[in-house]
Structures are given as structure tokens and as C-alpha cells.
Amino acid sequence: MTATTPTPSTARVRATALLPRLTLVLAALLAVFFTAATPASAHAALTASDPKDGAVVATAPAQVTLSFSEGVAMNGDSIRVLDPQGRRVDTGELRDLCSGNTIRYGTALRPGQPDGTYTVAWQAISADSHPIAGAFTFSIGAPSTTSVSLPSRAAGDGPVAIAYGVARYAAYAGFAVLVGAAAFILLCWRRGAAERPMQKLVVRAWVTLTVATLAMLMLRNPYTGSGNFADAFDLAGLKAVLETKSGASLVSRLLLLGAAALFITVLFGAYARRHQRGGAAEAGGESADSTGRSSEGEDAKAESDLVFGLGIGGTVVAAGIAATWALSEHASTGIQPALAMPVDILHLLAVATWLGGLTALLVALHKVPGIEREAVRRFSAVAFTSVLVLTATGAYQSWRQVGSWSALTGTDYGRLLLAKIGLVLVLVAVAYVSRKWTSRLVATARAGKAADEAAGNGDTKDEEARDEETGDEEAKAVAVKAVAAEPSDVSRETSAGAAPADPRRAAQLARQSAARRGAREKRARDADPDRAGLRRSVLAEAGVAVVLLAVTTILTSTEPGRAAELETSRGTDAGAVPDRAVKITLPFDTGGQNGKGSVRLQLDPGRVGANTLHVWAESPDGKPLDLPEVKVSFTLPAKDIGPLPVAPERAAPGHWSASGVQLPLPGDWQIDVTVRTSDIDQTTVQKNVKIG
């Protein structure tokens, strides 16, 4: 048997077979990152509750309140209080108790609750779009057994969360390739608009981003709620999602993708046809008369206007799509949101221009014959500018989200950020190698051009004529060999050296000839060491970029370091109720109109020395009651001390506070609260508490 050399078609099959393997490798990398990631923790976190987790109170509280580090979205079912038998004992009415920088919500309890252990289950949506949930217990009188069973799966966790995370990654990747590839065509390689591989790349990126956005919109309700895929088709849940900030951002993104489709139509329609006509004119030879020069000038002006319009329109659409992330995620919460959101938009555009352009360059180097070296040089400059913008905006975002050096190593967000910075440094190092290969390509091209000019136009024309004649002879020989290889009934229709009479047969021969020429051109390109080196370095850049994008996706779902440290520090400050704090609830009735209600008093930390006093007044239905006057006094009868008067100041409707309340000795103190509901209606209620 004689050895056979691989034909161009065989080589193409082998090259195509590498694509699924590369896809599997990238998918494995993504799987490692997604499965290794912990469940997403959101920007907001529970910082305090009243009653506290595990607290034992003497009497049933009038309400249960929760405090958060950042703004959250809640509804009537967000806070549920369950008795030891698992029955719901709250009224189902959400109370907004927010004041200034304090984020607090509560729900009232039905009166007459017996002793035992009660469970508080809560769920909310953080201002940066991530779901949060939790549960804790407190006891009235004494702890007891409880039959309450809570879901074992946390909010934002489970199969729905994995699907939502994959859709988020696909959306980021689609956006990067869509914006970056379009920018690569307009800024670096305008002829690329007429190339089929580039058109497929941009269109597929648009489809990926659109499908991913639709998937996120449909999965939003189960992702933030039940965690069941079936709820994706719940129309009521979808309507509720559309009324949220995240839902509005996803719908806005879909509308902007409609405008992006129009941009793509013009880019690969009218604009691409101009370059096809220009290429045909160059192939056929243009006349040099004054009419031809005038027409060429008009075409150049029309193309310049079209490029300007595409550039402005594309920038506006790309910035709008980037804003749908900035307006609904980390940039929209925390400190300096008015500055953080524009910076985040610039950051996303820089990332897309760099990584998406890199993808376009990789496709062009592998799929498009004869990409101009000047286009590679232009992209090198564009990528360098993108890295500068990326560095500046990333430094600001890191400071804003991390806040301290300790958070950089002591929080999940900080450690992920360090990993991202390391990957960016690796990417920049590989890009530096690509830049060196680009410089060598440009230098080789300039040297070749100078040599061609020195050889003279006459020699060049002779060479082109010989090449053309050789190419015709090769094509004819290919056609003859192909005809000879066909069955006898077909070969009889064609004679050697003549084109076949059958148009389909002629088209088939033309395709075979084109395939052979393409194979020869590819072998010539592969033989160029500079181009091969650039291809390898760009492929390495793309591999690092895939992992970098996965880390970035996980990072956007992780609680920022500044918020995590704030949550830890608030666990010991006045925002959390200390174990020794004194809390009492006293009903009152002044006898006049609207004279019934209750006052809740909290003395913090409830010990000898300076204390902070809070008083809340509520109507019988649990709503804040703004009284004309509230006075408090402290008496220690055993030591004949007091009464010590305290006049708390009004902090909010139905809320009074005073600081520096001094209790000089331990013992059983009598607390008297005087409540006035009108000019003549007043009463005093009292309670004895032990101060140790």
C-alpha cells in the first residue's frame, strides 16, 4: 500500500474536529468555576433583629423587626413568624420602619401569644438584585420544642440558581463579543464587514445575549423565590418581576438589542456591500480619468459618513446595554452610586472592546485569508487604550467595593478580586507577546512593500501575468483530473481542456478549484512564522479571557468586601440589641379620644452607668403613634434615689430617644413613663426592672 498525503478536505475535517475539543475544555473550566463558587451572597445583609436570635423575652413582643446593611425590597410575605406548632402568627402586614440611614422593616404579631419558641423566617431582594433569606428563633417565657421545618436550600441556591448563573455568564460573553467584534470591524478592519466569518461571529453574539437575557427574565421569579423551574411560567410572578428594578433592566436590555439588530443590519448590509463593490472594482481595474476620481471621492465621503453614523449609533446602543448592568447591580448601591454607575459603564465597554476584539482577531486569523497586517497593528493600539481605561475604572471599583486592605484578603470578594487581578496581569503579559509578533508582522510587510516598489512596476505586472497564467493552468488541470475521476457517463460529456457543458458540474469544479486555492493559501499562511506566532499568542489570550470572564461573573454575585466587613462590625455596635438590654412593653389608656395604645421602652446596655433610651409609642393596631409628649423617670426605692427625670427627644413619628441616661447603682429600678395624648388627657404607667 502506498502512503497517501492528507487532502485539503481531510485537513479541514481535522481542524474542525478540534473545535468540539476546545469547547469541551472551555466548558470544563467554566464548570470548575461555577461548582467551586459558594452560593451567591448579596450586597445587603441582616445586621440586627428585635427580638434577637435565641433571645428569651418575658412577654410577647408587639412586633418583630429586622435591620439590614443596605436597602432591600420586601412585601407582606417577606417576614413570617411561626408558633411552636408551625402556625403563622404575624398579621402579614409589612411595616416600613426605615429612618435616615437605618434600614428596618417589621411585622406585627397577633395579641395573646402563649409561651414557647417562635421561628422568624424572612426573605428579601437586595438593592443589587440578589436574593437573601434567613431564619432565627426567639422564645416567650421559656424555650420549648418546635415542629417548624424550614427549607434547607438558601435563597439564590439550587438548580435554578445554577441556570441563572450560566445565563448571566452567557449574557456577559455575548455582550463582550458583540461590542468588541463590531468595534474591531469599524476601528481596525473595515473590510471585515464583508467577511462571512465575522458576520457569523457578531450575529451569534447578538443571539447569545438575547437568549440569555430572555432566560434571566423568565428565571428571575423562581431564582428569587421558590427555586422551582415551573414558576418561570407563572404570569403573576413575571408581572411582579417586571415591576422591580432588575426586571425593568432586563426589559430595557431587550429593547436595546432591537436597536442593536438594526445596527448589525446596516453594518453587514449597506456598509459591507460598499467594501464588496470596492474589492470588485480593484480586481477589475479602475479607470484613472477625472470622472473616476470624482466618483471615488464621493464614495469615500459617503463611506466616512456611514462609518461616523455607525460609530455614534453603536456607541450609544453599547453604552445603553452596559447601563442595564450598572443600574441594577453593585454599582447602583453603596457609596457614590452617581459616580460608580458611569464608571461601571466605561469599565464594561473597555472589557468588551478588548476581549471581544480579541475574539474577532482570533477568528480572522484562523478563518479569513489575507487579513491586513495594518488591521492587527490598529487593534494592538485599541487594546492598549482599553487596558488603560480598564485599569483606571477597575482601581476605583476595587476601592469602592473592598474599602480596606483587610477586606482584600479576609473576604470572599477580596480573594476573588485578587484572582481577577492576577488573571488580568497574565492577560496583559500574553498581550505584550502578541504586540511583539504584531510589530514583526508590520515590519515584514513594510520590507516586502519596499522590495516590491524597488523591483519596478513592469516586473510586477509580468509576475502577475505569469501567476495568473499559472493559476489558470492549475485550475484547468484540476478540472481535467476531477473529470477523469468521475464516472464514465459524466466524463464523456467533457473533454480534456474544455469546460463541462453541465452548469452544475462546472460549479462543482469551480468550488473544488477554490478549495484547493484556499488550501494553498492556508499552507502559505501557516508557513509564515510571524503569523503563526501571533495566532498562538492570541489563542492563549482568548483562553485566559474565558476564565477571567467566569471569575468576573462570580464576582458580580458576591457580597462586596466593604459590606461584608460592615456586617461583621455591626454585630457588636448599637445597631444590634445587646444581651443585657432592658426591653419592656407597657399598655396605656389616658381615657380620652384615641387614648389607648402601648409604649415600648429599650434601655441599652441596661447596666450601671451611661445608657441609651429608646421609646416607641404604638396604637392598638400596631401603627406608630405620634404623641404630644412622653416623659420617663427612674426611681430606686431601696436606696431612696429618684425620681431621676429624662425628657427624650423626638427622633421620628412615634419614636423618642435620649443618650447618657445615668443609673448610679444596681438594684430593682422603677421606670415611670408619662404619656400625654391631648392637652388634658395624660397617664403614667410603670414597671420594675433589675439593673445589674
Side-chain angles (χ1 to χ4, degrees):
M1 294 180 64
T2 58
T4 58
T5 58
T7 63
S9 59
T10 305
R12 186 183 307 170
V13 169
R14 290 179 179 175
T16 306
L18 291 176
L19 293 178
R21 298 176 188 175
L22 180 60
T23 304
L24 288 175
V25 172
L26 297 181
L29 288 173
L30 295 181
V32 168
F33 274 96
F34 278 114
T35 54
T38 56
S41 56
H43 200 158
L46 183 69
T47 57
S49 66
D50 186 11
K52 280 194 65 176
D53 183 15
V56 179
V57 296
T59 59
Q63 65 178 359
V64 172
T65 63
L66 306 177
S67 300
F68 296 92
S69 60
E70 297 288 347
V72 295
M74 307 185 81
N75 55 39
D77 288 331
S78 294
I79 304 177
R80 296 180 296 120
V81 184
L82 309 174
D83 67 7
Q85 288 72 40
R87 295 186 298 261
R88 188 168 177 177
V89 296
D90 62 279
T91 61
E93 179 184 357
L94 183 69
R95 295 180 176 181
D96 187 347
L97 305 175
C98 300
S99 176
N101 293 328
T102 301
I103 308 300
R104 182 181 292 116
Y105 292 89
T107 185
L109 298 185
R110 298 190 185 99
Q113 297 303 322
D115 291 353
T117 298
Y118 289 74
T119 302
V120 180
W122 59 271
Q123 184 168 337
I125 306 299
S126 176
D128 57 2
S129 78
H130 302 300
I132 54 176
F136 62 91
T137 62
F138 70 93
S139 300
I140 300 175
S144 69
T145 58
T146 177
S147 60
V148 176
S149 60
L150 297 174
S152 59
R153 188 171 58 207
D157 194 11
V160 170
I162 294 176
Y164 192 84
V166 171
R168 281 169 57 85
Y169 179 87
Y172 278 121
F175 172 76
V177 176
L178 174 62
V179 173
F184 178 79
I185 291 172
L186 289 176
L187 297 176
C188 308
W189 192 38
R190 295 182 181 178
R191 185 175 70 83
E195 297 293 342
R196 190 68 175 170
M198 304 302 294
Q199 295 175 357
K200 288 182 178 179
L201 178 67
V202 173
V203 171
R204 287 171 180 170
W206 181 90
V207 171
T208 299
L209 179 55
T210 303
V211 172
T213 303
L214 284 171
M216 291 173 66
L217 186 62
M218 296 298 294
L219 292 173
R220 184 71 190 168
N221 180 42
Y223 171 64
T224 59
S226 64
N228 298 322
F229 280 104
D231 287 342
F233 305 99
D234 181 5
L235 295 181
L238 181 60
K239 180 182 178 182
V241 168
L242 295 178
E243 294 174 353
T244 64
K245 182 171 66 173
S246 299
S249 296
L250 292 172
V251 171
S252 300
R253 190 182 304 167
L254 289 174
L255 294 175
L256 288 167
L257 284 170
L262 179 61
F263 169 86
I264 294 172
T265 301
V266 176
L267 179 65
F268 296 142
Y271 183 74
R273 284 194 294 271
R274 284 185 172 276
H275 283 278
Q276 286 175 338
R277 286 198 301 267
E282 275 185 27
E286 294 185 1
S287 60
D289 58 9
S290 59
T291 304
R293 286 193 297 270
S294 175
S295 175
E296 183 180 350
E298 292 176 358
D299 288 345
K301 184 179 183 305
E303 180 178 347
S304 177
D305 293 341
L306 185 56
V307 170
F308 179 79
L310 286 171
I312 295 297
T315 301
V316 170
V317 173
I321 296 176
T324 61
W325 275 287
L327 294 173
S328 62
E329 296 193 350
H330 285 165
S332 62
T333 61
I335 62 173
Q336 302 178 352
L339 177 61
M341 286 187 286
V343 169
D344 194 46
I345 293 173
L346 282 176
H347 189 80
L348 287 170
L349 291 177
V351 171
T353 303
W354 184 19
L355 301 187
L358 190 67
T359 305
L361 176 60
L362 182 63
V363 170
L365 287 172
H366 279 271
K367 297 291 184 180
V368 181
I371 178 175
E372 293 83 357
R373 289 168 168 82
E374 187 66 21
V376 181
R377 187 192 64 80
R378 290 195 194 104
F379 175 71
S380 181
V382 170
F384 179 75
T385 305
S386 299
V387 170
L388 292 180
V389 176
L390 184 66
T391 302
T393 55
Y396 170 76
Q397 286 182 322
S398 300
W399 167 82
R400 179 177 176 272
Q401 300 289 8
V402 176
S404 65
W405 291 109
S406 60
L408 198 59
T409 56
T411 64
D412 290 340
Y413 188 93
R415 288 186 286 269
L416 280 171
L417 183 61
L418 289 176
K420 179 181 177 180
I421 293 173
L423 288 170
V424 170
L425 292 177
V426 172
L427 198 57
V428 170
V430 180
Y432 176 75
V433 176
S434 298
R435 193 177 179 87
K436 292 179 64 177
W437 285 115
T438 301
S439 302
R440 294 181 61 175
L441 274 174
V442 173
T444 303
R446 288 174 178 170
K449 184 177 180 181
D452 289 343
E453 291 177 353
N457 292 333
D459 293 343
T460 303
K461 290 182 179 179
D462 291 342
E463 289 178 5
E464 290 178 353
R466 285 195 299 270
D467 290 343
E468 200 172 284
E469 184 177 349
T470 303
D472 290 342
E473 291 177 356
E474 286 184 359
K476 187 180 295 185
V478 168
V480 171
K481 290 179 181 178
V483 171
E486 290 292 316
S488 58
D489 58 334
V490 178
S491 62
R492 284 195 297 269
E493 295 177 6
T494 13
S495 59
D502 186 359
R504 288 181 297 180
R505 181 59 181 163
Q508 181 184 9
L509 291 174
R511 287 194 299 269
Q512 291 175 351
S513 178
R516 293 180 185 276
R517 285 198 300 272
R520 287 196 298 271
E521 292 173 358
K522 185 178 184 303
R523 285 197 297 270
R525 293 197 306 272
D526 293 343
D528 185 352
D530 296 337
R531 181 182 291 271
L534 178 61
R535 248 197 344 252
R536 287 192 297 270
S537 62
V538 170
L539 182 60
E541 283 186 75
V544 177
V546 169
V547 181
L548 175 63
L549 200 59
V551 173
T552 301
T553 304
I554 299 172
L555 195 64
T556 58
S557 301
T558 304
E559 182 181 15
R562 185 186 293 270
E565 285 204 332
L566 182 62
E567 176 185 352
T568 303
S569 64
R570 285 188 178 181
T572 57
D573 67 11
V577 181
D579 291 337
R580 300 176 62 185
V582 173
K583 297 182 292 180
I584 59 175
T585 301
L586 301 172
F588 66 84
D589 185 358
T590 61
Q593 186 178 7
N594 298 325
K596 291 185 178 181
S598 63
V599 289
R600 289 189 301 112
L601 184 145
Q602 175 180 306
L603 191 64
D604 177 13
R607 63 188 179 190
V608 174
N611 292 266
T612 300
L613 175 67
H614 290 275
V615 179
W616 291 271
E618 297 175 342
S619 61
D621 59 359
K623 294 182 179 179
L625 186 59
D626 203 13
L627 301 173
E629 185 180 25
V630 172
K631 293 186 295 184
V632 182
S633 65
F634 295 86
T635 304
L636 184 59
K639 300 294 183 180
D640 199 21
I641 297 176
L644 305 177
V646 177
E649 297 181 352
R650 183 177 181 272
H655 179 201
W656 296 261
S657 65
S659 59
V661 178
Q662 292 288 339
L663 300 180
L665 296 173
D668 291 327
W669 286 81
Q670 176 182 304
I671 302 178
D672 295 278
V673 182
T674 301
V675 176
R676 184 165 62 84
T677 56
S678 69
D679 292 339
I680 60 174
D681 297 317
Q682 176 178 305
T683 188
T684 299
V685 291
Q686 60 184 222
K687 179 83 172 180
N688 288 339
V689 299
K690 186 175 183 61
I691 301 296

